[in-house]
Amino acid sequence: MDIETPAALIDEARMAANIDRMQKHLSALGVRLRPHVKTSKCIEVARRQQEAGAKGITVSTLKEAEQFFAAGFADILYAVCMAPEKLDRALALIRRGCALTILVDSVAAAQAVVAKGKEAAHAFEVMIEIDSDGHRSGVQPEAAELIEIGKVLQEGGQHLKGVLTHAGSSYDLDTDEALQKLAEQERALCVRAAERLRAAGMACPEVSVGSTPTALAARNLAGVTEVRAGVYVFFDLVMSNVGVCTPQQVALSVLATVIGHQPEKGWVIVDAGWMAMSRDRGTQRQKIDYGYGAVCDASGQVIDGLFVSGANQEHGIISRRDGAADPGVVQRFPIGTKLRLLPNHACATGAQYPFYLAVSPDGDAVPWQRFQGW
């Protein structure tokens, strides 16, 4: 493979299979899929998700919203609680024709949205974030504050579009039973929040849930209107440890070149360090610690017994799992050998690159731009 390394590769066939799997699963459950594009930050990837049946997109930055809107994606959910100083930027995007939905999880944030809405004579589309698993943010579904937030928005002339939750603690699980239990908890608590708002006289048409593990584990999504998931498009080693994919389904890899050896340590040195793989060590606390990545041959087949055990800025250290010396590494992996390294966290590894190389089944590699920043 005549590609300058390190390079971020997308295996198009694997990605297409991942997209098809999630879309078919959620369509069968009768809900929309609103993919989270923060994983790829790539128009070409999102278009393939859209072509498969996805409705709208989820973003984590306003830059994502701006870039995707410019590329023709108009239905956008900004799924990070709104900072008041970003409201002008969001409003500018809306006034260009973007159907942007924003998020709050506190009375103070809702009041800031109302104040900006009155100042600008605009009614924002707003969702309230619900805490369904104690993961990060959101208001408790039974909290009095939930109703208060809704009333602030409604009485302030804003549109309460619905409720949203993200069961991020699913990343800490690794059995089907546990994932299905959390998926049901995520569904039930978000639906309960919507029911409370409706009972208090507020419209709450949308119920949005999702993480890749709970989306794939869900067996019942009654009361849910849409599911958000992101990393499923590529998958990664964290997701493999969670149990929702195998390493052979991971569509994103880093192509690296062998540049040295330490046979007495069993090491192979490659030109992909933590600047290429990212500092994410998300598998460290899971059942299999992949270090900085799993090791594959140039075709993407996993090489058992090896992993990226260490990384400096531009050097990756591939070791044997047993830590043994290996005089044969020089012959098996001569200088110039190309290897693919699977990432712990696809979002973090992708963020190291200005573009991907999409590799088709016939071996052609086409650059797909991705963007960075906020």
Side-chain angles (χ1 to χ4, degrees):
M1 190 173 287
D2 187 21
I3 296 172
E4 188 171 340
T5 58
L9 306 185
I10 294 175
D11 184 311
E12 284 197 72
R14 291 186 187 185
M15 184 187 75
N18 296 340
I19 291 172
D20 184 63
R21 175 188 173 194
M22 181 68 82
Q23 187 65 56
K24 284 183 175 177
H25 174 64
L26 295 178
S27 294
L29 289 171
V31 296
R32 300 190 307 269
L33 170 60
R34 180 186 289 274
H36 207 317
V37 297
K38 70 174 183 177
T39 295
S40 69
K41 297 197 181 192
C42 176
I43 303 299
E44 293 297 331
V45 171
R47 283 185 176 142
R48 281 152 180 78
Q49 292 170 298
Q50 186 180 58
E51 289 164 2
K55 305 297 183 183
I57 60 171
T58 310
V59 301
S60 60
T61 70
L62 286 176
K63 182 171 183 179
E64 290 169 33
E66 291 160 350
Q67 295 281 336
F68 278 91
F69 177 63
F73 293 81
D75 180 3
I76 301 176
L77 168 59
Y78 176 37
V80 175
C81 287
M82 175 58 69
E85 64 269 21
K86 296 180 181 179
L87 283 165
D88 282 327
R89 188 174 174 188
L91 185 59
L93 187 55
I94 292 166
R95 285 181 167 162
R96 292 202 298 273
C98 180
L100 181 70
T101 300
I102 63 175
L103 186 67
V104 300
D105 74 346
S106 67
V107 170
Q111 290 170 336
V113 171
V114 168
K116 178 57 65 175
K118 288 181 177 178
E119 175 191 314
H122 177 77
F124 288 95
E125 297 287 338
V126 190
M127 299 186 84
I128 302 175
E129 184 167 13
I130 306 302
D131 178 5
S132 61
D133 66 345
H135 167 62
R136 185 172 56 200
S137 55
V139 62
Q140 293 289 320
E142 298 292 346
E145 187 184 13
L146 172 65
I147 305 303
E148 188 178 355
I149 293 169
K151 287 182 176 179
V152 167
L153 292 169
Q154 181 171 275
E155 293 170 4
Q158 306 306 296
H159 292 157
L160 176 55
K161 186 173 182 178
V163 289
L164 172 154
T165 195
H166 168 64
S169 64
S170 60
Y171 282 41
D172 299 327
L173 307 177
D174 62 5
T175 68
D176 289 342
E177 181 182 10
L179 288 169
Q180 288 181 31
K181 182 179 178 180
L182 184 58
E184 173 55 22
Q185 175 180 311
E186 178 185 50
R187 181 204 71 82
L189 292 180
C190 203
V191 169
R192 171 59 180 159
E195 290 171 344
R196 288 189 66 223
L197 287 162
R198 291 166 189 158
M202 288 168 270
C204 185
E206 299 292 337
V207 178
S208 179
V209 306
S211 72
T212 286
T214 54
L216 289 169
R219 296 297 178 266
N220 167 33
L221 288 172
V224 170
T225 60
E226 70 176 21
V227 172
R228 305 173 331 280
V231 76
Y232 78 91
V233 71
F234 293 154
F235 284 127
D236 54 29
L237 295 173
V238 167
M239 290 294 101
S240 178
N241 272 330
V242 169
V244 295
C245 71
T246 67
Q248 292 296 350
Q249 291 172 296
V250 177
L252 179 68
S253 63
V254 172
L255 187 69
T257 302
V258 174
I259 59 173
H261 308 89
Q262 294 284 348
E264 69 281 4
K265 299 176 183 177
W267 288 2
V268 176
I269 311 301
V270 295
D271 63 347
W274 55 255
M275 285 291 285
M277 300 302 299
S278 91
R279 278 286 198 183
D280 194 295
R281 291 278 283 105
T283 62
Q284 191 170 21
R285 294 175 295 164
Q286 294 182 307
K287 56 190 174 185
I288 301 175
D289 183 359
Y290 286 99
Y292 286 88
V295 182
C296 304
D297 63 21
S299 71
Q301 299 303 304
V302 175
I303 303 174
D304 292 332
L306 298 180
F307 73 123
V308 185
S309 61
N312 300 119
Q313 186 165 334
E314 304 298 347
H315 294 74
I317 300 170
I318 295 174
S319 300
R320 291 169 53 120
R321 280 206 171 271
D322 62 11
D326 188 354
V329 292
V330 177
Q331 288 73 39
R332 285 191 293 125
F333 303 106
I335 299 294
T337 298
K338 295 291 195 296
L339 298 170
R340 292 194 197 187
L341 310 178
L342 303 182
N344 287 319
H345 185 178
C347 307
T349 296
Q352 308 304 305
Y353 297 87
F355 62 90
Y356 305 106
L357 289 174
V359 181
S360 65
D362 61 11
D364 289 340
V366 178
W368 287 356
Q369 185 178 3
R370 74 180 306 283
F371 54 87
Q372 298 163 306
W374 289 264

